[in-house]
Amino acid sequence: MAEVSARPQNELTPPHALTAEQALTQYEADAALGLTQQQAQERLAVHGANALPAAEKDSAVVRFLRHLNDVLIYVLLGAAALTAVLQHWIDTIVILAVVLINAVVGFLQEGRAERALEGIREMLSPSAAARRDGQWQTVPAGDLVPGDIVRLRAGDRVPADLRLTEAQELNIEESALTGESVPAQKSAAPVSPEAPLGDRSCLAFSGTMATSGAGQGVVVGTGSQAEIGRISTMMSEVESLQTPLTRQIAAFGRWLALAVVVMTLVLVLVGMFAHGTDTGELLQAAASFAVAAIPEGLPALITITLALGVQAMARRKAITRRLPAVQTLGSVTVICSDKTGTLTKNEMTVAAAALADRELTVTGTGYAPEGEVHDDAARVDLQDPALRRLTEAMSIANDTQLIETDGRWGISGEPTEGALQAFAAKVGFDPAGVKRTATLPFSSDNKLMATAAETDGGPRVLVKGAPDRLLDRAAAQMGPDGAAPLDRAYWEAQVERLSAQGLRVLAAAERDGSAGDAELLTLDSLEELTFLGVVGIVDPPREAAITAIETCHDAGISVKMITGDHVGTASAIAAQMGIDGGAGAVSGHELEQADDAELRRLAETHNVFARTSPEHKLRLVKAMQAEGEVVAMTGDGVNDAPALRRADVGVAMGVKGTEVTKESAEIVLADDDFTTIEAAVEEGRRIYDNLRKAIVFLLPTNGAQSAVVLFAVALGWTLPLTPLQVLWANMVTAVTLAFAFAFEPAEPGVMRRRPRDPAKGLVELRHMVQIGVVSLLIAAATIAVFQWRIAVGDDLESARTLATTVLVVCQAFYLFNVKALESSSLRPAVLGSSRVAWGCVAGLTVLQLLFIYAAPLQALFESQPLSPEHLAVVTGAGVVVFLVTELIKLALHGRKTRVVRSARPRGADL
């Protein structure tokens, strides 16, 4: 037999487009005999094992060292080297500890992609029932090859991609691949070559689970050639992007390193050639300047601020797996969300019904039997004969039960049937007291289920199923006055009306029972039925999610639905939730046909994408990023994993999400609720604001110290601060005042402004101007006080103690300037709103008093006690800095408003 391996699998005609016989021929398989052991071994040698390739891993040492390859780390190591040269070993140890902690955290976080790939491998079945040498055998799933004949039973995990040749009521749970909320019905009939993944009903995919029925098929894809293998390959090839925060910190670190090196050289040259400064004194000045310019506390500040943000998000049901993702959420411009379970409840619900003479609406959502049925006039219940007959048929011809556990309603059975039982409970009907005598089970070929039962009206045969199948078997309809001639056109119009609303439509019919029905129901006996009515079923939107989407739009964030569901259903739900915007839905087939330029246009102008595959989701994320968007992508299935890894922020569902998805994401939602994403975005914006405030606050400390050293060298003056005093000022402000911003509440209107432009720096030009001016202001106050005290005869140690204290106290006053970064701080809401800020000031005061008066610190830092007059001067300098800074803020920001236009869906009326 010629081997199928002679032609690559991806060059063959798509197996779902072949008949079962053609598939057996193309893969050179024999349904009756299967492969011989020799054939299986030969094909295994060509195709390889039915397993996913293991991810290549660097050694632990290489992965750890990679986390030291960062400009900001180089700056910190430079600071450690300088402090070591000055023999300030405590500072050296502290700085190296910061470097080590950052590297260890990064090392532990690395490998998420490898763990995600491992999660995919764990989805594969360990064994399979395959026909070899004419007999059914249990073989390791890893030994399966194209052309093997494999048998499936309910409860089996599909061991490889199969082209089904037989299917007896076979249903397979494949939501992890397709996003479908209910098990897929399988058959052996071929489908179109262009059929999207969710419509390939003749294929069974590796890693999915057979929930009912039985089937048989020929293996058409193994290992990396199977659908789950293609996803694994995509994940290994997807490049994870840096977050805006890491990019901005890296850019800041590069500019800072360059500036420190250049200015240190300038300082040395000026001192050497302009003033002939002694080499030893000049090196001390250079070391003082370099230490002053490097914000040693910044990495720890960023880490702690993000860590506190992680805790705050966890309280809001969003668990963060990577620290920078907290801040990235604050820059998100687009949220791409799955539909089922995230925007919707993932609980099927009867939303509408139609009888022969009127249309009904049903309130209440989910499986809880809470709600009512209304017509145009009033509530209706079992007193209405037509509604009672419809309800009885839907509830009795039904194998699902409602279950209440700890006050929460669920089902034991199939979701659609669960919706019908909840509908019956709302009407007031309980099927428990009805005796069923015979049942014709649901068939994917017949698309109906029938039950013979003893009801209050006598023996009846009750049928539910697809409306067209029941209409074909009906001769009459139930009207307000009893049976009447069937008006098929009316019912087809009702089905079309409900379907246009995105509802799944089921019908019910009945006939009088007979003695033979109690023993056996057959399809042929279901004739001359009386059509009772139709119901429309939907997975209803989460009410809170609609409000959350409105909030996102107000925040300038576009929300896009990307789902594996059908176009009609997706469009209807999107319209209800305010997502569509009138542009309509784009199908997976349209995405398939679009080139990159057209795809970017579709991604920009449309908000609903249906019947999508993993490749479509990944391409959409890339297209949006190419348009400059910062994308958050949500998902729960393996099919979402590549897009989650590529997105700026991947958000996995914690309840129904697969382990693969969770490992691929930065954020995991503990409640699978879209409102949690909106809350996380708000928290991300708060954290971003607070990080910016902390940096705008912290840098003037370094700027002022650097300016003091530069001016002293340039003018040939004695240094007002020693290197150790510089480190003291850096340390006490970094470990006390700066961390006040980690606890700052969100700014008013934080969710009514545009997302931050990721191309902009962490601090903008106006903030840099403020940093520069305040740095010079504090430096001027420090130098002025130092020179004044030297002029009046104070000794050098006393003057330097006073100068150091001025520097520290001015930062304490400046803290309250920055609490309201772009508005006035002369308000009770700012000055008295934060107990944390005042606690930090109190802590700083205690430390500075120890610096001034404690003998051990006096000996270490060469400080001297200060008089009350000195302390009054210090306080006056802080007040002046505070007031002048308020004037600077007014000049820079004025009455700048932070509220922006709403980012309604494109195409909507604004």
Side-chain angles (χ1 to χ4, degrees):
M1 181 185 293
E3 287 302 325
V4 69
S5 58
R7 290 179 293 172
Q9 294 179 28
N10 57 8
E11 292 184 6
L12 302 176
T13 303
H16 56 270
L18 303 173
T19 65
E21 292 75 16
Q22 289 172 332
L24 290 168
T25 300
Q26 180 158 291
Y27 288 89
E28 299 179 3
D30 188 324
L33 299 176
L35 298 178
T36 66
Q37 290 294 343
Q38 180 180 353
Q39 289 173 327
Q41 290 299 320
E42 290 173 352
R43 298 190 186 190
L44 186 63
V46 174
H47 294 282
N50 178 30
L52 302 182
E56 296 183 5
K57 295 182 179 180
D58 294 324
S59 68
V61 174
V62 171
R63 287 187 290 129
F64 180 79
L65 292 177
R66 189 158 52 229
H67 293 283
L68 298 177
N69 184 24
D70 181 86
V71 174
L72 198 56
I73 296 298
Y74 298 156
V75 174
L76 286 172
L77 291 174
L82 284 169
T83 54
V85 168
L86 296 171
Q87 296 185 359
H88 299 148
W89 303 116
I90 293 178
D91 301 291
T92 303
I93 293 171
V94 170
I95 295 170
L96 289 177
V98 170
V99 172
L100 183 63
I101 290 170
N102 283 340
V104 169
V105 169
F107 175 77
L108 294 177
Q109 289 292 342
E110 192 183 20
R112 293 182 306 113
E114 289 80 359
R115 290 197 297 273
L117 292 174
E118 187 63 34
I120 291 180
R121 284 191 287 274
E122 290 174 358
M123 292 180 63
L124 302 180
S125 175
S127 61
R131 188 183 286 276
R132 296 274 178 91
D133 295 322
Q135 296 182 344
W136 288 109
Q137 302 177 20
T138 299
V139 301
D143 291 345
L144 291 178
V145 294
D148 259 322
I149 304 300
V150 172
R151 182 173 62 191
L152 294 177
R153 296 289 185 268
D156 288 347
R157 189 176 293 277
V158 181
D161 279 8
L162 307 178
R163 169 58 172 92
L164 295 171
T165 55
E166 300 176 15
Q168 297 86 38
E169 309 304 326
L170 180 62
N171 289 274
I172 296 180
E173 168 57 55
E174 55 188 29
S175 61
L177 288 180
T178 65
E180 288 279 11
S181 55
V182 295
Q185 298 175 3
K186 297 296 182 178
S187 72
V191 296
S192 167
E194 292 79 24
L197 192 68
D199 290 339
R200 297 175 188 174
S201 56
C202 58
L203 294 185
F205 298 107
S206 179
T208 60
M209 182 75 73
T211 58
S212 62
Q216 182 175 307
V218 57
V219 173
V220 296
T222 60
S224 59
Q225 293 296 320
E227 184 65 28
I228 198 170
R230 293 195 314 106
I231 294 174
S232 175
T233 301
M234 273 194 293
M235 285 185 61
S236 65
E237 295 173 349
V238 169
E239 178 186 0
S240 296
L241 299 182
Q242 281 189 315
T243 68
L245 179 64
T246 54
R247 292 196 298 267
Q248 290 162 4
I249 290 176
F252 171 77
R254 288 192 296 270
W255 281 107
L256 178 63
L258 179 62
V260 169
V261 171
V262 170
M263 293 304 295
T264 303
L265 290 175
V266 169
L267 181 145
V268 170
L269 293 175
V270 169
M272 184 179 298
F273 295 107
H275 301 290
T277 307
D278 177 73
T279 302
E281 186 178 345
L282 194 57
L283 288 177
Q284 184 186 35
S288 295
F289 173 78
V291 172
I294 298 172
E296 294 91 347
L298 183 59
L301 171 64
I302 291 172
T303 300
I304 291 176
T305 302
L306 293 177
L308 291 173
V310 166
Q311 294 179 7
M313 289 178 63
R315 290 192 292 270
R316 302 180 80 166
K317 305 296 185 182
I319 296 141
T320 306
R321 293 170 43 80
R322 245 181 105 215
L323 285 182
V326 179
Q327 177 274 333
T328 307
L329 278 170
S331 301
V332 162
T333 60
V334 176
I335 298 176
C336 299
S337 178
D338 188 19
K339 175 184 74 69
T340 304
T342 307
L343 297 174
T344 63
K345 289 178 173 292
N346 198 22
E347 295 181 349
M348 304 302 287
T349 302
V350 175
L355 301 175
D357 61 335
R358 61 196 186 279
E359 299 168 0
L360 306 174
T361 58
V362 184
T363 63
T365 58
Y367 301 125
E370 301 166 355
E372 299 177 348
V373 180
H374 294 265
D375 61 13
D376 291 336
R379 176 183 178 182
V380 290
D381 54 24
L382 291 180
Q383 302 302 315
D384 184 296
L387 178 60
R388 181 182 182 91
R389 302 294 277 269
L390 172 67
T391 303
E392 287 178 345
M394 292 291 190
S395 180
I396 296 171
N398 192 317
D399 292 327
T400 296
Q401 295 179 327
L402 297 181
I403 298 174
E404 183 182 14
T405 305
D406 297 329
R408 179 178 176 82
W409 287 88
I411 60 171
S412 173
E414 200 269 337
T416 301
E417 289 194 334
L420 298 176
Q421 293 291 25
F423 169 66
K426 292 173 185 178
V427 175
F429 179 73
D430 183 359
V434 178
K435 180 182 178 181
R436 301 199 320 184
T437 57
T439 297
L440 178 65
F442 178 84
S443 162
S444 56
D445 293 328
N446 304 328
K447 295 187 177 180
L448 57 80
M449 173 184 180
T451 296
E454 297 289 341
T455 68
D456 292 343
R460 284 191 293 158
V461 174
L462 307 172
V463 189
K464 78 171 193 310
D468 58 332
R469 300 300 178 93
L470 269 61
L471 285 170
D472 289 342
R473 297 176 179 277
Q477 67 187 37
M478 178 63 65
D481 301 319
L486 180 69
D487 184 353
R488 181 163 186 146
Y490 167 80
W491 292 113
E492 288 177 343
Q494 290 293 338
V495 171
E496 184 176 351
R497 176 182 68 86
L498 295 174
S499 298
Q501 299 174 27
L503 304 180
R504 179 182 181 185
V505 184
L506 289 180
E510 67 173 20
R511 68 169 172 80
D512 291 335
S514 64
D517 295 329
E519 298 179 2
L520 179 66
L521 274 180
T522 64
L523 188 65
D524 292 339
S525 69
L526 303 181
E527 300 293 343
E528 301 297 313
L529 301 176
T530 299
F531 199 86
L532 301 176
V534 294
V535 297
I537 302 173
V538 69
D539 181 7
R542 294 178 184 263
E543 295 85 351
I546 297 175
T547 303
I549 290 170
E550 180 77 13
T551 301
C552 288
H553 291 159
D554 289 341
I557 301 171
S558 298
V559 179
K560 298 181 185 290
M561 177 193 293
I562 305 179
T563 178
D565 223 327
H566 293 278
V567 171
T569 303
S571 296
I573 294 294
Q576 293 178 47
M577 307 204 74
I579 293 177
D580 190 1
V586 180
S587 69
H589 178 69
E590 293 175 85
L591 295 176
E592 198 79 44
Q593 302 302 314
D595 58 22
D596 288 345
E598 175 64 9
L599 186 70
R600 288 171 65 170
R601 186 192 69 80
L602 291 173
E604 185 71 13
T605 57
H606 290 70
N607 296 314
V608 184
F609 303 89
R611 243 26 196 163
T612 54
S613 70
E615 292 92 342
H616 299 152
K617 296 181 180 183
L618 182 58
R619 287 187 69 203
L620 281 169
V621 169
K622 289 181 176 179
M624 290 179 223
Q625 289 173 332
E627 291 294 313
E629 307 284 5
V630 179
V631 182
M633 176 77 191
T634 75
D636 59 356
V638 177
N639 59 328
D640 299 315
L644 261 64
R645 189 176 178 201
R646 171 69 189 200
D648 296 279
V649 183
V651 182
M653 304 297 107
V655 177
K656 62 186 181 72
T658 63
E659 290 304 312
V660 179
T661 314
K662 296 173 190 175
E663 291 289 348
S664 301
E666 286 83 14
I667 307 289
V668 178
L669 302 186
D671 56 2
D672 290 11
D673 193 339
F674 186 87
T675 57
T676 304
I677 303 175
E678 181 269 322
V681 170
E682 181 178 351
E683 185 65 25
R685 290 191 172 191
R686 182 190 73 85
I687 292 167
Y688 194 103
D689 286 348
N690 290 345
L691 277 176
R692 183 175 60 183
K693 288 179 181 180
I695 291 172
V696 172
F697 166 77
L698 193 61
L699 292 187
T701 300
N702 302 98
Q705 294 166 348
S706 304
V708 166
V709 177
L710 277 176
F711 279 118
V713 173
L715 298 174
W717 294 344
T718 303
L719 288 176
L721 305 168
T722 68
L724 206 56
Q725 288 168 346
V726 167
L727 284 171
W728 169 265
N730 274 348
M731 180 180 67
V732 294
T733 54
V735 302
T736 57
L737 300 181
F739 292 115
F741 297 105
F743 300 92
E744 281 290 289
E747 292 277 353
V750 69
M751 289 300 283
R752 292 193 59 82
R753 70 184 194 217
R754 286 183 183 277
R756 288 192 53 79
D757 184 350
K760 292 184 178 179
L762 194 58
V763 290
E764 299 175 18
L765 178 60
R766 63 183 185 274
H767 303 124
M768 293 303 296
V769 171
Q770 179 174 325
I771 290 169
V773 174
V774 173
S775 296
L776 294 175
L777 180 63
I778 296 176
T782 303
I783 292 174
V785 169
F786 175 78
Q787 292 296 337
W788 168 54
R789 296 316 299 177
I790 292 292
V792 299
D794 284 358
D795 58 67
L796 181 59
E797 289 77 11
S798 178
R800 280 178 169 171
T801 302
L802 185 59
T804 305
T805 305
V806 167
L807 189 66
V808 170
V809 171
C810 285
Q811 281 294 113
F813 278 86
Y814 181 56
L815 168 70
F816 293 94
N817 293 120
V818 179
K819 273 174 59 66
L821 186 57
E822 297 184 355
S823 60
S824 174
S825 296
L826 294 170
R827 294 176 288 140
V830 176
L831 296 178
S833 63
S834 177
R835 288 180 294 178
V836 174
W838 283 106
C840 290
V841 170
L844 176 68
T845 302
V846 171
L847 289 173
Q848 192 61 27
L849 289 174
L850 290 173
F851 172 86
I852 297 170
Y853 299 109
L857 294 184
Q858 288 176 347
L860 179 62
F861 292 101
E862 300 178 356
S863 58
Q864 295 292 323
L866 299 179
S867 67
E869 176 190 357
H870 291 150
L871 297 180
V873 169
V874 168
T875 304
V879 171
V880 170
V881 167
F882 176 82
L883 295 176
V884 174
T885 302
E886 285 301 298
L887 294 176
I888 294 170
K889 286 165 53 180
L890 182 62
L892 288 175
H893 309 299
R895 297 180 179 274
K896 181 178 179 291
T897 179
R898 304 289 294 277
V899 180
V900 300
R901 68 171 178 84
S902 171
R904 302 290 174 187
R906 291 174 176 87
D909 294 330
L910 298 179

